[in-house]
Amino acid sequence: MARVTVVGTTSWGTSLAILLANNGSDVTLWARTAEEANALEQARENPRLPPGSTFPTGLRVTASLSEAAPDADMVAVSVPSRTLRENLRKLRPHLSNSSMVLSATKGLEIESARRMSEVMEEELPEPLHDRIAVLSGPNLAREIVRGMPASTVIASRNEEVALRAQELFMSPVFRVYTNADVVGVELGGALKNIIALGAGICDGLDYGDNGKAAFITRGLVEMTRLSVAAGANPLTLAGLAGLGDLVATCSSPLSRNRYVGEQLAAGLTLDDVLSSMQNVAEGVDTTRAALTLAARLGVDMPLTEAISGVLFRGVEPRAAVAELMGRAPRSEWAGLEG
């Protein structure tokens, strides 16, 4: 029986913990405080998830990393991107060099624009660098925890690590693919949240399916342009971690980032929208980080610039759309040709 530690009681982290326990792993879910751990243990479900999402018998909750992490076959980290580095520093003293470490966080570090696996390599001991994997795909937590059919991608530069993680997560309702393109899988999962903000704005402004389809499609081109410049395989962005996740996040009423865009279009301020939410909308921080990365790599990101204007500079959503529609004509594949 595999021993797995899940760091983070987010809705996604808890859903993964439940999935892994249902697959037969011995799972420990790490909570930030003893109070939270005790409450989750007593309730045997997480209030962030739909009622009835009961913890399997193979899942326990603790606030002690010294109890949770040592000798784990895999440690899966599902925390907001802005707290990843802090959590890794807490986790590091308790890790075994034989553990796999998997990132289930879809974002970029706001200050450095680093991907989550890059932050892991900076914070974890060198022997663990070749044991890092990332998981990303169209995976809405509330659907996963209900056992609805879904697929995902696990990427690692170490094929054995990817295959072992695939084995742990694979189930009759959760189909897992492997990929060697860590850069593409991570950037696909992070950048689609920016486009989902814009898709929500399209919905909030009632701009129709034509406009939303155009925005999503051009968003995929923009995601691909930046990802390829960062070293990704463009095919990855046409797969589950790119197009697949983009479709789910831009269309589902369960999408937090789409919700933020919709509320902004309705006239709410960003602060008001975020303060009303229980979970993190990663696209907000990722917008800043993506523009930092784009400037570093010399990549044109007009949609991301427009979203940034709405989020942080008080640009009215309709004005942002009008500016995008008024841009000079160009080739559909500009920036990806050659």
Side-chain angles (χ1 to χ4, degrees):
M1 178 184 296
R3 294 191 58 194
V4 179
T5 298
V6 176
V7 176
T9 56
T10 59
S11 57
W12 184 220
T14 306
S15 297
L16 289 176
I18 292 172
L19 186 154
L20 288 161
N22 282 332
N23 280 356
S25 291
D26 179 12
V27 180
T28 302
L29 179 63
W30 180 72
R32 287 174 295 176
T33 66
E35 291 76 16
E36 182 186 24
N38 290 335
L40 291 173
E41 271 291 346
Q42 289 178 12
R44 298 300 293 169
E45 61 180 60
N46 191 329
R48 295 174 184 265
L49 293 172
S53 305
T54 308
F55 294 173
T57 55
L59 170 60
R60 64 190 181 95
V61 189
T62 181
S64 169
L65 280 174
S66 61
E67 177 185 341
D71 302 320
D73 296 291
M74 181 176 70
V75 177
V77 184
S78 179
V79 298
S81 59
R82 61 170 55 190
T83 67
L84 178 68
R85 193 178 292 273
E86 171 193 345
N87 278 284
L88 290 173
R89 289 174 179 173
K90 294 177 181 177
L91 181 62
R92 174 176 174 147
H94 306 288
L95 283 174
S96 162
N97 286 342
S98 63
S99 296
M100 295 182 291
V101 184
L102 180 137
S103 167
T105 298
K106 298 178 180 180
L108 297 173
E109 188 174 52
I110 188 169
E111 299 87 357
S112 68
R114 285 180 173 81
R115 294 176 284 107
M116 300 294 94
S117 66
E118 292 179 305
V119 176
M120 285 181 164
E121 288 194 354
E122 289 183 353
E123 295 295 337
L124 298 180
E126 194 277 334
L128 285 173
H129 293 183
D130 196 46
R131 302 188 63 75
I132 291 172
V134 300
L135 181 150
S136 195
N139 303 146
L140 297 159
R142 285 176 169 261
E143 293 186 1
I144 301 296
V145 80
R146 290 172 59 194
M148 301 172 73
S151 293
T152 199
V153 179
I154 290 177
S156 176
R157 67 190 186 197
N158 184 331
E159 184 180 15
E160 291 183 9
V161 168
L163 290 171
R164 177 57 175 146
Q166 178 187 46
E167 180 184 2
L168 292 175
F169 281 103
M170 191 85 159
S171 84
V173 293
F174 195 62
R175 184 166 178 80
V176 183
Y177 293 85
T178 61
N179 193 325
D181 182 14
V182 175
V183 177
V185 169
E186 284 192 288
L187 287 179
L191 298 176
K192 56 84 189 179
N193 285 326
I194 304 171
I195 307 306
L197 292 168
I201 290 174
C202 289
D203 288 338
L205 294 176
D206 197 22
Y207 273 175
D209 293 333
N210 288 337
K212 184 176 177 181
F215 186 86
I216 293 171
T217 305
R218 295 308 301 166
L220 180 59
V221 172
E222 189 161 300
M223 290 165 55
T224 304
R225 198 159 53 223
L226 182 60
S227 298
V228 168
N233 182 338
L235 286 176
T236 301
L237 278 296
L240 287 167
L243 177 60
D245 204 358
L246 182 66
V247 169
T249 311
C250 289
S251 61
S252 174
L254 298 175
S255 166
R256 296 191 291 268
N257 292 283
R258 178 188 168 278
Y259 169 81
V260 170
E262 200 171 29
Q263 297 305 303
L264 291 173
L268 276 70
T269 68
L270 180 62
D271 286 344
D272 286 343
V273 178
L274 297 181
S275 65
S276 72
M277 299 174 66
Q278 187 178 30
N279 293 301
V280 173
E282 284 283 1
V284 176
D285 283 352
T286 302
T287 299
R288 293 188 191 273
L291 290 176
T292 298
L293 183 60
R296 187 182 301 160
L297 298 175
V299 175
D300 186 30
M301 300 278 282
L303 300 187
T304 304
E305 289 280 6
I307 297 299
S308 177
V310 174
L311 290 175
F312 309 120
R313 299 194 300 276
V315 176
E316 204 275 330
R318 291 182 188 275
V321 173
E323 184 176 348
L324 286 171
M325 294 296 289
R327 297 179 73 239
R330 63 190 303 184
S331 163
E332 184 174 18
W333 305 120
L336 287 173
E337 298 164 330

